[in-house]
Amino acid sequence: SSNEAPEASQSPSQESSDASPKASEPAAKGEPINGGKIVIAWPANPANLDPDLTTTSLTNDALSHVYEGLFEFDGKEEPVPYLAKSYEYRDDSKTLYIKLREGVKFHNGKELTSEDVEASFLRWLDVNDAGGIVEPYFDKFEIISKYEFNFKFTKPFAPFRSIIASNSANQKLLIKPKELVEKYGNEVLLEHIGTGPYEFVDWVPDRSLRLKKYKDYVPVDQEPSGYSGRRIAYVDELEFKSVPELAVRVAGVQTNEFQFANDVSLDQYANYKTDKNVVPIVSTPGFQGILAFNLGTPPFNNLDARNAVQYAVNLEELATAMVGNADFWHYNPSFFEEGTIWYDGNAGEGIYKQQDLNKAKEYLQKSGYNGTPIVILNDRGNKQHSDGAIVLKAQLEQVGFKVDVQLLDGATVSKQLADKNQVSSWNINLASFKVPKPDPQVYASWLGTDKWISHWDDELAVKMETAFEKLLVETDQTKRYALSKEVNKEFWSSLPWIRTFDYARLHLAQKSLKGFVNYSTPFYWNVWVDNQ
Amino acid sequence: MSELDQHLLEISDLNVSFDSRPSLAPAVNGVSFFVDKGETVGIVGESGSGKSVTALSILKLHAQSVSQSISGSIRFNGEELLTKSEKDMSMLRGNHVAMIFQEPMSSLNPAMTIGSQLMEVIKLHQKVSKKEAKAKAVESLTLVGIPAAQSRLSSYPFQLSGGQRQRVMIAMALLCEPQLLIADEPTTALDVTIQAQILDVLKDLKDRIHASILMITHDFGVVADIADRVVVMYAGKVVEEGKVRDVLKNPLHPYTQGLLSSIPQIGPFKERLHMIRGSIPKPDECLTGCRFCPRCDSKREICEQQEPAYRLFEGQRGTRCWIGTDEYDTSTKGRLP
Amino acid sequence: MIPIIFICAVIGFFITNLMPGDPVRVMVGEFASEKQVQEMSERLGLDKPIQMRFVMWLQNVMQGDLGDSLYYQTPVTEAIVSRLEPTLLLATVGLFFGVVMGVSLGIIAAVKHRTVVDQSAMVVSVFGVSIPSFFIAIVLILVFGVKLQWLPVAGYEPIAKTGFGVIKYLLLPGFSLGLIQSGLIARTTRSAMLNVLNQNYIRTAYAKGIPKYKVILVHALKNALSPIVTVIGFSLALLLGGTWIIETIFNIPGTGALAITAISRRDYPIIQGCMLFSTLIYLIVNFLVDISYSFFNPTVKYK
Amino acid sequence: MTKVKKKHAYLFIGAFIIIFFVLLALFAPWFTRFDPLALAVKERLQAPSAKHLLGTDALGRDVFSRICYGARASMFIGLAVVFLTTVLGGTLGLVIGFYRIADSIISRILDGLMAFPEIILAVTLAALWGAGIKNIIYVLTFAYIPSMARVVRASVISVKSLEYIESGRAAGARNIYLIFRYILPACRSAIIVQATFCFAAAILAEASLSFLGVGIKEPTPSLGGMISEGRDYLGVASWLSVAPGTVIVLVVLGLNLLGDGLRDHLDPKLKTR
Amino acid sequence: MSRVKIEKDIIVEVRDLHKSFDEEHRLFSRKKNTLTAVDHVSLQIYRGETLGIVGESGSGKSTLGRLILRLLESTSGDVRFEGQSITDIPERKLGQYRRKMQIVFQDPFSALNPWMTVYELVAEPIRHYGTVAELDLRKQVIALLEKVGLSEADLHKHPHEFSGGQRQRICIARALALQPAFIVCDEPVSALDVSIQSQILNLLHDLQEELRLTYLFISHNLAVVRHVADRVAVMYLGKLVEVGPVEAVFANPSHPYTRSLLSAMLSIDPDVRRERIKLPGDIPNPMNKPSGCRFHTRCEFSTDLCMKLEPELLDRGNEHYVACHMKELVQH
Ligand SMILES: Nc1ncnc2c1ncn2[C@@H]1O[C@H](COP(=O)(O)OP(=O)(O)OP(=O)(O)O)[C@@H](O)[C@H]1O
Ligand SMILES: Nc1ncnc2c1ncn2[C@@H]1O[C@H](COP(=O)(O)OP(=O)(O)OP(=O)(O)O)[C@@H](O)[C@H]1O
Ligand SMILES: [Mg+2]
Ligand SMILES: [Mg+2]
């Protein structure tokens, strides 16, 4: 149904050829070589490796090599069957029938059956955030046979496949053997047994996570596309190392100590380009930037004040400060990337990127803002956000806000953002998400009455929620597109956060790394090392 | 002068000045004297008169941190020392010429045992086994009157009394049976009783190994006790020399006379002591004329104008004073301060 | 010693627990739901009031149990012990560089007192102390790791695996650490040596005919050693504090990096454990320094 | 003669460097054409030029202005820490060194505090009290008091037994008078050395704190913070950290020279003869 | 110095004065070592006289001097000044006695606060005690300086700019500033050259005549003590072993220790042969003193009695006190 969707890994900057990630991709030249090892330098330490329990994207990046989903997104961002062999909506779309692929083996040698899916799903439903979205509409899990089962819902639940395949913010349902689920229950998993091309070896927190090639892996017989299709483990070992210092991550790739480094400096792109040893990889879509309001406390519990910010912000300046080179960021008023089926170019018309200081001042006046300094709260460990906060301060002060930028350490910030008892400790937070996989439904867990960080609790919130509700139960895709526009409209009229811009991430690959495909989440199957 | 009656040590026209203050009078200014074999020569003078600088010049032991220029000649056994290399000097030091210093409390290395400090010298200058070195060390300690010498070898300096330390220093100096022992105020910091002990030890040893001693002191008592001849220094210059008896009984220079009469005498009690006015000149004072002149009771005009030459007399006597010369007799009385 | 440790432990407990921020949030991630948070804090026992936690913690500490890490779920002592090897090795290499550079600079400066050599040596030592360690570290990485490719840019492999080869991971970080320490050591050495070189027994040594290098290295150095060792001990204590930043940069999994990450995660038991650990190290180092005096200062041994 | 001149040369060079940077910091507004906080995002990461003497940073702020103002913050921190540490630690050291009564107890406590690595203390306290110049000053003061107190205590104890103290007592001097006229001057050189050390350490500690993310509150520039920020741009805009780094090195060097010179200068025995 | 007839007016009386130092506590050792520096000493000093104290280094001479001025607190015993016990009076009332009792130290290099000018140094005692106006103070200081042979030009110099002799003069001026009656001279000339030594001794002599001062003159230079003192006391390991008029003691030393001490004196007359009475062994460790007579370990006449019983200081006639069991040695 998403045939028209163009390739997702499209560069935002096709007009400027030298910055094109296409050009820099180590294309799959030559014959794949078996063996060797890939060391990936991570910027941070994942908090834990339980994919159901943490929202850290790094965990997901790595464990996608160990666990697999029933569905995976293909290159057109369409969830296609993966561990599932086929699926079918039945019963007015209230039932999702799935037939598993046969002969798929877990790393412990056991074959994948419906029971394993059941156990994994129920745990996911209970402890995972995305499970929380599904739960209110879920009825029961029905095992039909060893390889067949039904998901039963109380209402039609359209985004289900997208949600259980989505690897952004760890919503994906990953299939574990029943024994593993039973052993750990809702506790943090300390062992990992999946069906993927790599099996878990060990994890030393803050140091490294090691995976090794799973010998008995049987790839699906499909051409690779995006996250879907044939996965072949060429290298014997993958090691994910925590390397917080940027300079070291880069230096390591330059010297071939690491073959890949996540999240390096966009500002140094030109340098990397001229370095013969490395290949910069612009990963796009990368992040979606927002300015999140604290909607539970003045002044931003008032729509006028939010509008004042909306018109005060100069996105170009903000983007230049945070990202730099214009090749690496672009405007986007919609929830999704241009090119995806959900893209809505008309969203936010007349309000998005319309800096208008007079209008902003008017709104501010109207809001009855009393001059109390507003607090921009951010983690000072995140350079982009802290730089953005400083620029934002200047912009807001132009229209009459008093601003106090508080850049604190991560733990303090996340605590204050979430603390329901200390609602008034902040007003604005610069945030960014990894651009979610197509289905607007994922936003439902953030935008709504008192969700995520926003402390939003008024009639606008209810309206927003209702808009999502409609989208949820509608299974007809065309109707859903229309409804998603509705959601966009609702969003822009209530401004629960301010949409800024989307920006790329920059990774660095060693020149020896071959076969790498640029995808929003880097993966290392079908990739080999050639030290020639 | 034939080989035979050549002096053991002969210093002539020694000048030492410190580069840090080149404009001032040299610390040692034209000093000449000699020491014969088996002889004990005392150098007396007040603090700052240049005694130590002279003594240190012989072995070129001036502090490394201060640069100085030395001129003149110092001959030991006929060999010129001033032109010798540092390496050759090392061969000489502690071997043929030994030196002991004023402060026994601080002249021994506090972090090394007596034994190792003694044996170090032997091993350095003589080819002997460890055992022999040890035996020698014990022997020399016994020689200077340290009881239970064997067990003392493993003691550290702080475990010894001042007198014992000075005796260890002497023992160390005598290990290689040097021809010349330079003793820079070896007893000044010690109690009278210990001073007497040390002097006795020195006399004893001198007889035993026939070494010559250059004894630096500011105490005429010490000179009277131990020396054969005496050299009196004042402000970097030799002002008088002669046999001890001659100098003490019949001092020629007003300075020597003043010094001797300043000493509280055994004999009839005196109400007041004789005293020399003022104090030793600073390096930048009295650069012309006789440097003792401002303190001298018998000075005349000539004394202020011109520096007296050093005159040598019969019987190894010498003095640097205008008194007794024609110029003095004809000169008018100098202005008194 | 015991009271100091006890006081530090109590101070440590309250300081860490009063820090703003919440370990639970850190663990479940930014986008986690309230429910996840709730469950996690129950799991970690952080839902109880601080007084109660203090009493429990005290009881455990009395029995030598520092508790479990909130994050690793392993006993704190185990976490620290498992990180000890790189830190100790790093501190040793750092100390080695610091001492070698510091002491030799100091000696040279003292021997060439008041000359150009002396002044240059002191300027070099000032450089060492006045450049932030992380900056030195990054420059070293760029020069020796990337440009010359003599050494790995970062990382660490346990000695069990690499044997003597472990040294290649320690040279750069050790040198950065050593450079910082060398300044202080050089200055102390210089003044101690100057002091000693003016002592009478040095003149005595020369008078005995001992060659200059021997006088300086044997007679003088031995006596100058006690202030030098004091400052080296002090450096060692500092080193164990200084490894934090260096470990973070060079990606060395030592106790320093452990403490830093524990702070950013508010892993209270680990922070407390690290505080206790460094107190202990400090006291042990001080104790060793005191003992070592007796080796070169006979007065201490015999009195 | 030459020796005397050389010694003064230290004092002069040190004082010159320090005065230069103090003036630069104090009169920063006169020297600088740009507001250190003024953003000019379009002109980000420009190399040094006639317009921007030391280039611009990632937000287009003028690095030269930021250094001037950053020196202000860093030197202020340094001075304030030195001042507080000297007054508080010095007093403490004097009291326990001179009166000996509380000595054993307080020394123990100081030992305990010294045992806390200063960075961990700083990081935790900064996390507790929040970032900001004032808190950094408190934190560092707190961290340096023990060593200052110990140094002063040691030098008081060594001076206390000297003959001239007794002579003062015989002349009828009371304890307070003895402390201020007899003991304190004798501790001066120890205090100067320690204060120099504190100053340098404070500037650097501020840098380390910035590295760990608990330094001076953004966007206020500080030398340490600038080095720390600039390190991510070493490849493209090395001036971002090299320039403030150079300033720190010069200041610390100047301070050392000044401290040494001052110590010699205040010692009457070494004064010109 | 003054050979005039001594009136028997006691200015300072020391009764059974005792001082011991406890060694500081150390790691690993429970045992405390005690060092007795002054051991139950009784002594009288008459107004206008000079009492010399001689003895080897470490015999407790300086400690005794400091105890008398209460610069050190005694362990037990009593010091009386002009009939008044000053042992127990509180620190703040001590001032009125201190101004009458002053001290001149051995080492003029370390006895002057290097950070003060001459003016401050000399004015200091007056400032602490008197209420003299600043203008008068200046005059007074200049007068004092002139009295000791310095001049107004020296007023604003620092101690290091002076030679040793001049510094000792400053010390003396400082001690005289309060017009004391009694001065402890703790080896005032030991650090000085002979020519300077005679200047200072003469100065002290003149001042004594002029101001009717009483001196406690501590020295290990026997010739000097002999020259300046009216009476002399000999100390050995914290005890007085012999006290008497200077002529009597020097002409007729009665204690074996005094004898050996005097025999070690050097003469500048080359004709005088020194006949040293050699003492075996060294001065014992003051922490661990011999029992009985503390000299018995080195005494050629020692008997069993000496080892057991400590001899008392007894008058052997003519105010010549000796602490020795050997009666026959004490002959006149
Ligand atoms: N290292 C030096 N630098 C500069 N001047 C020096 C140095 N050593 C000695 N002098 C000067 O040289 C002169 C003679 O000093 P010297 O030590 O020889 O005197 P002395 O006769 O040994 O005195 P004392 O009896 O005090 O030992 C003095 O004026 C002294 O200040
Ligand atoms: N403050 C002190 N603490 C410990 N011991 C002391 C102290 N002052 C003096 N002593 C000891 O007391 C004894 C007597 O010392 P004192 O200074 O009175 O001797 P002295 O006769 O003056 O000797 P010197 O001739 O060397 O000046 C010595 O053994 C000395 O070590
Ligand atoms: Mg001398
Ligand atoms: Mg004394």
Side-chain angles (χ1 to χ4, degrees), chain E residues 21 35 37 56-64 106 187 220 286:
Chain E
F21 294 102
L35 184 152
E56 279 174 281
S57 185
S59 54
K61 309 182 292 291
S62 303
T63 308
L64 178 61
Q106 163 171 15
E187 318 212 18
H220 61 234

Side-chain angles (χ1 to χ4, degrees), chain B residues 34-310:
Chain B
F34 63 90
V35 179
D36 276 334
K37 275 207 174 74
E39 190 186 34
T40 302
V41 175
I43 302 185
V44 220
E46 280 180 276
S47 203
S49 55
K51 308 182 297 289
S52 298
V53 173
T54 308
L56 292 174
S57 303
I58 300 172
L59 284 182
K60 296 208 278 194
L61 280 178
H62 292 291
Q64 308 270 333
S65 51
V66 206
S67 52
Q68 58 273 313
S69 34
I70 308 179
S71 68
S73 135
I74 300 176
R75 291 177 162 272
F76 179 73
N77 273 332
E79 279 181 73
E80 177 60 53
L81 298 187
L82 286 183
T83 52
K84 264 197 157 86
S85 71
E86 182 66 14
K87 202 173 156 209
D88 292 342
M89 284 308 288
S90 294
M91 303 295 296
L92 196 78
R93 291 178 193 148
N95 196 7
H96 303 298
V97 182
M99 188 155 180
I100 52 180
F101 298 99
Q102 174 169 10
E103 283 163 33
M105 300 298 166
S106 60
S107 289
L108 286 170
N109 190 331
M112 291 169 77
T113 59
I114 303 298
S116 59
Q117 296 191 51
L118 285 167
M119 271 139 56
E120 193 181 30
V121 190
I122 310 173
K123 279 188 258 169
L124 204 66
H125 297 296
Q126 295 171 5
K127 285 207 173 81
V128 290
S129 70
K130 203 170 170 191
K131 220 166 139 195
E132 283 171 298
K134 197 164 178 174
K136 269 199 117 143
V138 173
E139 188 195 319
S140 72
L141 282 184
T142 321
L143 216 64
V144 294
I146 290 196
Q150 181 79 40
S151 63
R152 275 300 180 196
L153 287 184
S154 55
S155 303
Y156 284 92
F158 76 94
Q159 294 168 298
L160 306 182
S161 71
Q164 284 173 329
R165 283 185 227 182
Q166 194 60 295
R167 275 180 275 170
V168 171
M169 282 296 293
I170 296 174
M172 200 180 322
L174 298 178
L175 273 176
C176 298
E177 306 199 343
Q179 291 163 286
L180 177 65
L181 174 66
I182 305 172
D184 189 357
E185 315 210 26
T187 59
T188 308
L190 302 176
D191 278 325
V192 264
T193 46
I194 301 174
Q195 166 170 314
Q197 269 177 28
I198 299 291
L199 291 176
D200 287 347
V201 168
L202 281 176
K203 281 192 220 168
D204 216 36
L205 289 170
K206 186 181 137 188
D207 295 344
R208 211 183 290 227
I209 62 172
H210 307 291
S212 305
I213 299 179
L214 182 63
M215 169 66 85
I216 292 170
T217 176
H218 56 239
D219 187 345
F220 274 106
V222 172
V223 168
D225 194 65
I226 197 171
D228 303 318
R229 277 193 308 119
V230 61
V231 174
V232 183
M233 283 185 73
Y234 183 77
K237 295 198 160 140
V238 175
V239 292
E240 178 159 5
E241 72 172 301
K243 294 249 169 64
V244 166
R245 168 177 287 274
D246 297 339
V247 173
L248 293 189
K249 294 258 174 188
N250 182 22
L252 295 175
H253 197 283
Y255 175 63
T256 321
Q257 290 164 0
L259 272 188
L260 284 169
S261 53
S262 299
I263 299 167
Q265 288 288 334
I266 296 189
F269 296 108
K270 277 191 254 165
E271 292 295 297
R272 290 191 91 219
L273 287 165
H274 173 85
M275 61 186 197
I276 308 178
R277 279 176 290 118
S279 53
I280 199 158
K282 296 202 179 106
D284 54 348
E285 286 170 354
C286 323
L287 294 176
T288 56
C290 172
R291 293 198 78 188
F292 184 62
C293 172
R295 308 176 73 186
C296 186
D297 284 335
S298 13
K299 72 167 169 197
R300 298 206 173 157
E301 214 169 76
I302 180 82
C303 304
E304 285 183 347
Q305 289 158 353
Q306 210 178 326
E307 158 133 66
Y310 192 67

Side-chain angles (χ1 to χ4, degrees), chain A residues 46-47 126 129 206 242 409 412, chain C residues 31 35 71-72 251 265-266:
Chain A
D126 196 16
D129 250 359
D206 299 337
S242 317
D409 77 321
T412 315
Chain C
F31 304 102
K35 188 168 146 238
Y71 176 77
Y72 306 115
N251 228 36
R265 285 188 191 123
R266 306 294 190 267

Side-chain angles (χ1 to χ4, degrees), chain A residues 22-199:
Chain A
K22 262 279 152 61
S24 54
E25 245 172 65
K29 279 183 228 128
E31 283 300 298
I33 297 169
N34 277 304
K37 177 179 176 183
I38 297 177
V39 181
I40 298 112
W42 270 352
N45 311 304
N48 65 56
L49 284 190
D50 190 327
D52 291 341
L53 279 176
T54 177
T55 56
T56 317
S57 67
L58 290 175
T59 306
N60 186 72
D61 287 3
L63 288 188
S64 289
H65 296 78
V66 177
Y67 296 110
E68 292 170 322
L70 293 172
F71 296 88
E72 298 283 6
F73 283 105
D74 65 8
K76 296 174 184 157
E77 303 296 16
E78 174 70 28
V80 297
Y82 198 80
L83 287 177
K85 187 173 183 185
S86 63
Y87 70 98
E88 203 178 309
Y89 277 104
R90 298 175 175 169
D91 187 16
D92 261 355
S93 298
K94 281 203 270 189
T95 298
L96 174 62
Y97 162 84
I98 288 176
K99 189 168 194 295
L100 285 176
R101 256 162 63 206
E102 286 171 35
V104 173
K105 285 223 180 97
F106 284 110
H107 301 149
N108 60 4
K110 211 199 77 166
E111 196 189 352
L112 168 71
T113 65
S114 304
E115 282 189 341
D116 300 312
V117 179
E118 179 184 30
S120 304
F121 175 74
L122 291 178
R123 181 179 196 261
W124 178 85
L125 200 65
D126 196 16
V127 299
N128 189 278
D129 250 359
I133 306 176
V134 176
E135 220 226 287
Y137 310 96
F138 182 69
D139 180 22
K140 64 174 183 248
F141 187 91
E142 238 177 31
I143 295 181
I144 301 168
S145 71
K146 199 173 170 192
Y147 304 115
E148 287 166 300
F149 52 87
N150 283 333
F151 289 106
K152 294 210 150 203
F153 298 92
T154 53
K155 289 184 193 169
F157 192 76
F160 186 66
R161 269 188 311 130
S162 291
I163 288 180
I164 63 173
S166 162
N167 54 12
S168 49
N170 279 24
Q171 299 179 319
K172 190 173 186 174
L173 167 63
L174 296 168
I175 306 304
K176 311 161 193 77
K178 185 178 170 205
E179 298 73 45
L180 190 71
V181 175
E182 276 169 357
K183 180 168 173 194
Y184 287 94
N186 285 359
E187 296 290 313
V188 175
L189 294 180
L190 298 177
E191 291 166 70
H192 300 279
I193 300 166
T195 53
Y198 286 92
E199 59 181 303

